Amino acid sequence: MSKPTVLFVCIHNAGRSQMAAGYLRHLGEGRIEVLSAGSAPAASINPAAVAAMAEEGIDIAGEQPKILTTDSVIASDVVITMGCGDTCPFYPGKRYEDWVLEDPAGQGIDAVRPIRDEIRRRVEVLISELLPTG
């Protein structure tokens, strides 16, 4: 069986989707392919998101926001959107989830930590669904 592929999408691909991708890479231990993109990518990753993830021992500082492409959606088994609205393309046969999360843009680290923690919780659930044990 091939590895499942998960695509995380938010508007700027600078905070929520990057934190989710960082957690899935780390907690998925290479068993899941991870992609992230944005409908209107920012110039760089949100420094508060980088700092919040560093507290968890996960380095996302080297990531770069990427534009959402049709190819990345087609290549994915699961597409998780985080406030990208109608700009996310829909293809039959894909699993779609919309994670309603506060946007960390312009927020300090104290505001980003609870967003990060909720993302981790959701990623852990996703991993348990994609890689059932037993």
Side-chain angles (χ1 to χ4, degrees), residues 9-127:
V9 184
C10 66
I11 296 169
H12 301 298
N13 190 222
R16 295 168 289 190
S17 57
Q18 292 286 356
M19 288 191 286
Y23 270 129
L24 189 54
R25 280 187 198 99
H26 180 75
L27 299 173
E29 300 172 331
R31 298 171 294 163
I32 299 171
E33 292 294 328
V34 182
L35 305 172
S36 71
S39 53
S44 61
I45 303 294
N46 178 335
V50 171
M53 292 302 286
E55 291 178 348
E56 296 281 291
I58 300 170
D59 182 7
I60 62 170
E63 298 298 325
Q64 204 50 44
K66 295 169 277 311
I67 187 74
L68 175 64
T69 65
T70 301
D71 289 345
S72 63
V73 176
I74 291 170
S76 301
D77 300 298
V78 180
V79 179
I80 298 179
T81 59
M82 304 174 180
C84 72
D86 297 335
T87 61
C88 296
F90 180 85
Y91 290 92
K94 306 287 177 196
R95 172 179 163 186
Y96 286 86
E97 289 184 29
D98 185 45
W99 290 1
V100 179
L101 298 159
E102 189 175 341
D103 188 349
Q107 307 257 21
I109 193 159
D110 289 337
V112 173
R113 283 186 188 112
I115 300 167
R116 174 203 65 198
D117 295 345
E118 177 60 16
I119 289 170
R120 180 183 180 124
R121 186 191 69 74
R122 292 180 190 213
V123 165
E124 288 171 340
V125 170
L126 180 66
I127 291 169

